[in-house]
Amino acid sequence: MQDATSQPDVVICECFCRDGLQHETLVLPADVKIDLLDRFSALGFQRIEATSYSNPAVVPQFADAGEVLAGIARRPGVHYKATCPNPRAVERALADLRAGRGATEISMLVSASESHSQRNLKRPRADQWENVRQMAALAAGSFRLIGTISVAFGCPFEGEVDARRVIDDAIRFRECGVQYITLGDTTGMATPHTVRGLFRALQQELPDATLIAHFHDSRGTGLVNCVAALEAGVRYFDAAIGGVGGHPAKVKYGGGYTGNACTEDLVDLFEAMGVRTGIDLPGLLDTGRHCETVLDRKLAAHVTHTGANPLRPR
């Protein structure tokens, strides 16, 4: 890990405990999640996706959101994120915050396509945008707000997504007071060309926004798209240990492999490029192996088993 006084070149949000676990049929006990979150913060992650306030009937993995947030050992400078799909979820997040156990970030979701919005959020885009406006108003001043645009690079139901629609959605988020805007490649349709083009266009239109790259590795392009986003000026990334994750286990809309960009491989790649992540890489590889034990299977990380790049700068 870099010296504690130095700032990393990039900030990687570890998403294993939310976007990762939502794909699992196995429901981990709260104490196991708490232990994982404490391990992640000890590795140097400044942002950690901790849980979700989704409806437990749809995503049962997160019925213990409040218990998990209450149990973690908070570290200075670490932001803990919770996903909120609707105003009721924000109300739950606020209740936990008032009880002294809240998240520090909340993520609000919209889909760039109508079909994905209906399938994933069970409502039209227009209705979800009304939800976002209500959520942002409820949460203003209490959390750091993250606006996530799903299927920003392509939709599994409609195919190509108009880049202008994505840009307009990002502008809507900024109008709601949201500074941090995530573009999600939900089923791995992005290419380095489309990544560079869309992020550069967004930076021109919203120079005051903080952009976050969230790539799934459905077609083996997660890491190359992260590098393309880096080249386009993005400094915030989402990833999950072992490449786990994808759509919720009960809401399937992607075939084959659906997981996230793999944290171990991304950290190793960035570090080998001389891009400082602030993450303890040897400790991360140990944690990756521990996550395999927790889920009782081998995960998709390469460097967890081959070892870190021996030529990376020291």
Side-chain angles (χ1 to χ4, degrees):
M1 191 190 309
Q2 278 82 29
D3 183 272
T5 61
S6 66
Q7 288 297 313
D9 299 318
V10 296
V11 175
I12 297 174
C13 180
E14 176 48 54
C15 298
F16 182 95
C17 279
R18 204 290 298 178
D19 198 3
L21 292 184
Q22 75 168 357
H23 188 68
E24 301 294 320
T25 55
L26 173 69
V27 178
L28 296 181
D31 62 330
V32 173
K33 297 177 187 175
I34 291 166
D35 174 70
L36 288 170
L37 292 166
D38 288 345
R39 288 172 186 256
F40 300 160
S41 62
L43 291 172
F45 288 100
Q46 294 183 10
R47 298 181 64 235
I48 300 171
E49 194 170 52
T51 190
S52 171
Y53 287 102
S54 297
N55 185 342
V58 179
V59 190
Q61 289 89 335
F62 309 119
D64 57 3
E67 181 182 357
V68 168
L69 287 167
I72 55 179
R74 306 292 175 121
R75 288 178 177 260
V78 178
H79 283 275
Y80 297 89
K81 182 172 70 167
T83 299
C84 292
N86 52 49
R88 171 61 184 140
V90 176
E91 290 169 356
R92 291 172 58 199
L94 285 167
D96 281 343
L97 184 67
R98 295 183 188 113
R101 60 188 187 197
T104 55
E105 295 182 356
I106 63 167
S107 177
M108 301 176 293
L109 309 172
V110 298
S111 296
S113 80
E114 191 64 47
S115 299
H116 185 265
S117 185
Q118 294 280 4
R119 185 72 172 267
N120 192 49
L121 298 171
K122 309 300 184 187
R123 58 181 60 88
R125 271 172 46 86
D127 290 356
Q128 182 59 13
W129 270 115
E130 181 56 34
N131 273 342
V132 167
R133 283 187 283 272
Q134 293 179 32
M135 287 189 282
L138 283 168
S142 297
F143 306 96
R144 188 156 80 172
L145 303 182
I146 315 295
T148 299
I149 305 172
S150 299
V151 298
F153 296 92
C155 173
F157 310 114
E158 298 181 15
E160 186 175 356
V161 170
D162 186 353
R164 186 67 243 177
R165 182 188 298 172
V166 177
I167 293 169
D168 288 344
D169 282 349
I171 292 171
R172 279 186 173 186
F173 270 127
R174 285 299 289 125
E175 290 172 347
C176 291
V178 178
Q179 179 183 345
Y180 291 79
I181 298 171
T182 302
L183 298 190
D185 183 28
T186 309
T187 57
M189 296 187 186
T191 67
H193 176 73
T194 58
V195 167
R196 284 188 291 264
L198 187 50
F199 275 115
R200 285 171 177 164
L202 267 174
Q203 287 168 334
Q204 288 183 345
E205 298 232 12
L206 292 173
D208 63 335
T210 301
L211 303 181
I212 302 171
H214 181 110
F215 296 112
H216 286 200
D217 203 32
S218 310
R219 292 170 173 82
T221 56
L223 293 192
V224 296
N225 286 330
C226 285
V227 172
L230 181 75
E231 293 170 345
V234 176
R235 293 297 178 264
Y236 283 73
F237 297 84
D238 290 346
I241 286 175
V244 296
H247 50 67
K250 290 189 176 183
V251 187
K252 295 183 178 179
Y253 45 76
Y257 180 75
T258 61
N260 288 278
C262 174
T263 306
E264 301 99 308
D265 294 345
L266 180 60
V267 170
D268 181 66
L269 175 60
F270 276 167
E271 293 286 346
M273 294 169 60
V275 178
R276 298 172 305 152
T277 65
I279 306 302
D280 173 5
L281 183 54
L284 176 63
L285 301 189
D286 288 340
T287 301
R289 288 185 282 270
H290 174 70
C291 288
E292 291 188 329
T293 300
V294 167
L295 294 181
D296 194 26
R297 70 173 190 276
K298 184 176 180 179
L299 302 178
H302 291 81
V303 298
T304 299
H305 300 284
T306 61
N309 190 328
L311 302 181
R312 71 186 187 280
R314 301 290 179 172

